[in-house]
Amino acid sequence: MTLARLAALHGVATSYSPSPGRTVQASDAAVVAALAALDVDASTPDAVGAALAERERALREQLLPPTVVRWREPEGGQGELPEREAAPDPLRALPDRTRLHLRTEQGGTLTWDAPAPPPQLPLGAHRLRATTPDGAVAEAHLLVAPSRAPGPRARAYGFLVQLYSLLSRRSWGMGDLGDLAELAAWAGRSAGAGFVQVNPLHAAVPAPPGGSSDPSPYRPSSRRFPDPVHVRVEDVPEFARLRGAARQRAGALLERADGLRRSVLRDGQLIDRDAVWAAKAEALELAARVPLGPGRCAAYSDFLAERGEALEAHATWYALAERHGPDWRAWPAPLRDPDSRETARARCELMDRVDFYERLAWYADEQLAAAQRAARDAGMGIGLVHDLAVGVHPDGADAWAQRHHFATGMSAGAPPDAFNAHGQDWNLPPWRPDRLAESGYAPFREVLRATLRHAGAVRVDHVMGLFRLWWVPAGRPPTEGTYVRYDADAMLAALVLEAHRADALVIGEDLGTVEPGVRDALRERGVLGTSVLWFERDWATEGPGPGGSGQVLPPARWRADCLATATTHDLPSTAARVTGEHVALRHDLGLLTRPPAAERAEAAADVREWLALASRLGLLPGGAGHEEDEVRAVHRLLLATPARLVGVWLPDTVGDRRPQNVPGTLDAYPNWRLPIAGADGRPVSLEDLTASPRLHALLDVFREFRTGRSRGACRGPGTVP
């Protein structure tokens, strides 16, 4: 019990509930390891007793927690009442006549005495100092955030796409930011879409010598800067100014780019990210040697000043990785510390390379801004929806530059559940909650600000991680992990504050096992959820669904505050789902846990149940039996819900059968390397996709709802304005 008490005081769980009525105990080894990662020694009973006494003493004597949160209601109104009990206010617990002095983020000061209500506090991240009548002093960070994140101004639908998979006839072997701008301009003007959601565009870890880079966009080197592999080289102004031998070399690189594009679109080969980057890196090297004109020079200087030390550290890591390899833990010991004198000396020696990587970040930032402008100019109310990965690669730039904020010897993941009996280890170092609180959540706010620079919304992957994360000790299986809790109020305050500043929506990916109360807390703060049609069942009822329970949820009973979709990058495409082809794929990959016949029967029953609902509601006018009609019926069901946002998986518009990622596979499936393809498996370019009769037939479904010509009986809140 002493270990359990110590763990609880540090936010480390000793048990968890994977399903209602079932509790699983975490191993003592997992708890001890998690505490060790928080610099708490629990290795022996005596150490546990000493650590517990120290923690209890520190909490008794603590005048203020490291970070205090204040929610500010909209001016002129009280806002919505909280749907759950508010957290205790540490400012109201201070002794009477405690003098509070606030130094605001904006440079001003405010002073008042407890327990009097504080003045109207400005939004932002401030510094608070408390002095009690007997002379005790404490300092804390104060986060003041709006009570809710911005919400959708109108109902909207949009497209979901993995950008690398969308090749145009100008791509260099994978989709780029020019393609994203083209897609957004077309989707807004011709399709009436309100947004385009893309995969994380974070900077990747470069390939080690003689090896390949990690293709997953969800294990980036840095979440603070975009990946220059997405830059459209021809749109860099300096590339167009190349002359002489440099121009000739550029011509050869353009020919290589043509070959990379043809190998994918014509020959059906996989996307080769490393080959694309090798060609682009050489081309951008040429462009970076061209002197900037006065206007460009001023813009670059502004970018350097705005991104400051974070950009310098980012570029330094890439320059050092060129020399010493991409795993910073294998570098010479002094260089593993970004603040060491040896690192500063190396930065000076490599200044040309540091400047090159800063230039690459600028190019990507400019083109991201251009893509968002293209979306807004096309009439999109939201524009780009950027995806924030749940963590970073342990060997990458952020793990090096911000290493004190990550838990050493731990990896984030997920415990065993109904979808994965072995649990998951994502090999992503988790934030240390204590260090986040001590910093006023500055690293998290910085990541959010970077992601929202050129966005109308952000999708937060595994949004449940704002509340707790499953920590897996190094070298142990995911089953031997435990949950570590974060200050969700502070995490949400940072998220809502940055979303408010960017005037952007927040979409939380809350699929899978969700702790009770989490969705209520997210909804209270204006964070939209994610609803995938095949999972929307009433699990409290008996029915023919998976496991023999859970009737399909009628559209009118879906939640409104969500992004509703038919699938995601980790799930089968809609065409594969309605035809049952996803079962055959999982069988071929050895992922089935039951005989194929049983899996096929259950999958077919699931689809029949949803299509029967669509038929009863008049949303399947031609009847079941034809794949394209069934795919359109699935999207009519989405539109018949009250969901504020409806997302269309772009590969669904041309009948692609393949998922972009199959969880649980490594080399057995080409995860993150597939171009969008048609029903016949042949890759489809952006130009051919936008001209596809199948795509336009699906878009007719959305036009029907906008004009009120749908045959469906489910109207009302589901109608697209």
Side-chain angles (χ1 to χ4, degrees):
M1 291 300 293
T2 305
L3 177 62
R5 170 68 176 161
L6 176 64
L9 291 179
H10 286 279
V12 177
T14 54
S15 65
Y16 70 100
S17 298
S19 58
R22 179 170 173 247
T23 299
V24 176
Q25 296 296 319
S27 70
D28 285 355
V31 173
V32 170
L35 287 169
L38 296 171
D39 297 330
V40 179
D41 183 4
S43 58
T44 66
D46 286 346
V48 170
L52 179 59
E54 172 59 25
R55 182 62 172 168
E56 290 177 334
R57 181 199 62 77
L59 290 174
R60 282 195 309 271
E61 297 177 0
Q62 179 179 272
L63 195 59
L64 287 173
T67 295
V68 177
V69 172
R70 277 282 182 176
W71 298 100
R72 200 175 85 179
E73 299 296 340
E75 293 185 10
Q78 295 301 311
E80 296 186 10
L81 294 175
E83 298 181 15
R84 58 190 176 94
E85 185 177 350
D89 186 346
L91 299 186
R92 295 187 180 277
L94 292 169
D96 286 355
R97 300 190 310 281
T98 295
R99 174 58 55 95
L100 294 165
H101 181 82
L102 187 70
R103 186 170 67 255
T104 72
E105 181 184 277
Q106 296 81 5
T109 59
L110 291 170
T111 302
W112 71 97
D113 289 339
Q120 178 76 335
L121 299 174
L123 298 176
H126 315 303
R127 198 69 182 143
L128 181 68
R129 181 182 177 90
T131 305
T132 67
D134 60 6
V137 177
E139 290 199 358
H141 299 274
L142 176 63
L143 296 183
V144 182
S147 59
R148 293 174 62 85
R153 293 179 175 86
R155 197 177 192 217
Y157 93 94
F159 295 106
L160 285 55
V161 63
Q162 299 281 294
L163 179 57
Y164 60 83
S165 71
L166 181 69
L167 283 75
S168 73
R169 293 170 191 160
R170 294 184 60 190
S171 303
W172 286 37
M174 62 182 283
D176 61 34
L177 293 170
D179 298 326
L180 179 58
E182 287 284 347
L183 173 67
W186 167 82
R189 297 180 190 279
S190 299
F195 62 89
V196 172
Q197 178 181 304
V198 295
N199 57 285
L201 302 182
H202 311 315
V205 175
S212 300
S213 63
D214 186 340
S216 172
Y218 290 92
R219 293 184 72 232
S221 172
S222 173
R223 296 185 293 176
R224 299 188 291 174
F225 295 94
D227 197 324
V229 76
H230 299 116
V231 167
R232 173 167 285 179
V233 173
E234 298 93 321
D235 289 352
V236 174
E238 288 71 40
F239 185 77
R241 293 174 52 203
L242 292 173
R243 298 292 183 268
R247 187 67 212 170
Q248 290 182 337
R249 183 56 192 157
L253 290 170
L254 289 170
E255 290 182 7
R256 191 196 301 180
D258 286 340
L260 290 168
R261 179 176 58 253
R262 288 195 301 269
S263 72
V264 176
L265 292 179
R266 185 190 65 190
D267 303 334
Q269 295 185 21
L270 297 176
I271 292 169
D272 187 341
R273 184 189 185 283
D274 293 332
V276 173
W277 176 236
K280 285 192 174 184
E282 186 175 349
L284 293 171
E285 289 263 15
L286 297 173
R289 295 174 192 154
V290 176
L292 298 174
R296 294 277 291 163
C297 186
Y300 183 42
S301 296
D302 286 347
F303 179 75
L304 293 174
E306 182 179 3
R307 303 312 305 273
E309 293 181 3
L311 176 58
E312 184 178 65
H314 175 81
T316 298
W317 183 90
Y318 278 89
L320 289 170
E322 281 186 348
R323 176 172 291 184
H324 301 288
D327 180 0
W328 61 270
R329 292 176 180 81
W331 294 355
L335 298 181
R336 299 172 202 166
D337 180 357
D339 300 320
S340 71
R341 285 181 294 180
E342 289 81 1
T343 298
R345 188 178 303 115
R347 182 184 298 116
C348 292
E349 294 172 358
L350 298 170
M351 188 52 66
D352 286 348
R353 302 310 297 162
V354 172
D355 181 72
F356 173 62
Y357 285 105
E358 290 174 335
R359 186 82 65 96
L360 293 182
W362 179 48
Y363 291 154
D365 185 80
E366 285 191 313
Q367 293 192 9
L368 277 171
Q372 175 66 350
R373 283 196 303 272
R376 289 299 181 90
D377 289 347
M380 286 190 174
I382 299 170
L384 301 184
V385 181
H386 287 299
D387 198 346
L388 177 62
V390 70
V392 295
H393 198 291
D395 302 340
D398 281 2
W400 175 73
Q402 300 177 313
R403 69 196 190 290
H404 293 305
H405 288 94
F406 292 104
T408 302
M410 288 287 161
S411 175
D417 57 24
F419 299 99
N420 193 321
H422 302 292
Q424 300 175 61
D425 182 348
W426 301 328
N427 193 24
L428 304 169
W431 293 119
R432 280 186 56 159
D434 55 337
R435 295 277 172 81
L436 283 178
E438 290 164 4
S439 70
Y441 295 81
F444 182 48
R445 290 186 284 111
E446 183 183 7
V447 165
L448 292 167
R449 199 154 47 245
T451 306
L452 288 164
R453 277 177 65 83
H454 308 298
V458 60
R459 172 193 180 270
V460 181
D461 191 37
H462 192 69
V463 73
M464 296 83 78
L466 301 183
F467 296 76
R468 63 179 185 175
L469 268 178
W470 185 255
W471 285 21
V472 181
R476 307 306 304 167
T479 51
E480 297 182 23
T482 190
Y483 275 113
V484 175
R485 191 162 294 282
Y486 295 77
D487 184 342
D489 217 36
M491 297 288 275
L492 284 171
L495 177 61
V496 171
L497 175 62
E498 297 304 331
H500 168 80
R501 287 170 160 166
D503 192 22
L505 311 181
V506 180
I507 302 164
E509 186 270 295
D510 57 351
L511 302 175
T513 303
V514 183
E515 185 182 14
V518 165
R519 287 196 174 108
D520 290 339
L522 293 170
R523 184 176 64 251
E524 177 188 333
R525 296 304 171 200
V527 178
L528 304 175
T530 301
S531 294
V532 176
L533 181 132
W534 311 101
F535 302 152
E536 289 297 309
R537 290 178 171 272
D538 183 353
W539 298 102
T541 65
E542 292 296 321
S549 67
Q551 294 182 358
V552 297
L553 201 63
R557 291 181 55 195
W558 285 38
R559 55 180 171 171
D561 297 327
C562 75
L563 166 65
T565 71
T567 190
T568 72
H569 56 268
D570 284 334
L571 296 172
S573 70
T574 308
R577 179 84 67 170
V578 300
T579 60
E581 291 184 27
H582 65 299
V583 178
L585 174 62
R586 292 181 63 79
H587 174 60
D588 292 342
L589 295 172
L591 297 175
L592 297 184
T593 58
R594 297 183 299 166
E599 296 278 356
R600 283 194 296 270
E602 182 176 290
D606 187 28
V607 171
R608 282 198 303 272
E609 192 176 2
W610 281 105
L611 293 180
L613 173 63
S615 183
R616 290 196 301 273
L617 297 175
L619 303 177
L620 185 55
H626 189 274
E627 173 203 322
E628 291 190 43
D629 288 341
E630 292 171 352
V631 171
R632 288 194 286 271
V634 165
H635 288 85
R636 289 191 184 100
L637 280 170
L638 294 176
L639 286 166
T641 73
R644 299 294 291 158
L645 303 178
V646 175
V648 181
W649 179 236
L650 193 62
D652 274 348
T653 65
V654 289
D656 199 340
R657 299 293 202 269
R658 308 159 309 170
Q660 284 293 312
N661 177 53
V662 179
T665 62
L666 292 174
D667 298 329
Y669 187 80
N671 295 320
W672 319 112
R673 291 175 287 168
L674 292 170
I676 294 176
D680 58 2
R682 299 182 61 180
V684 177
S685 69
L686 171 60
E687 293 83 359
D688 290 338
L689 182 145
T690 56
S692 164
R694 179 165 179 155
L695 175 143
H696 285 279
L698 181 57
L699 290 184
D700 283 343
V701 169
F702 292 84
R703 296 186 183 103
E704 289 172 2
F705 272 78
R706 286 202 304 274
T707 59
R709 292 189 291 107
S710 172
R711 301 169 185 249
C714 282
R715 304 296 292 153
T719 304
V720 173

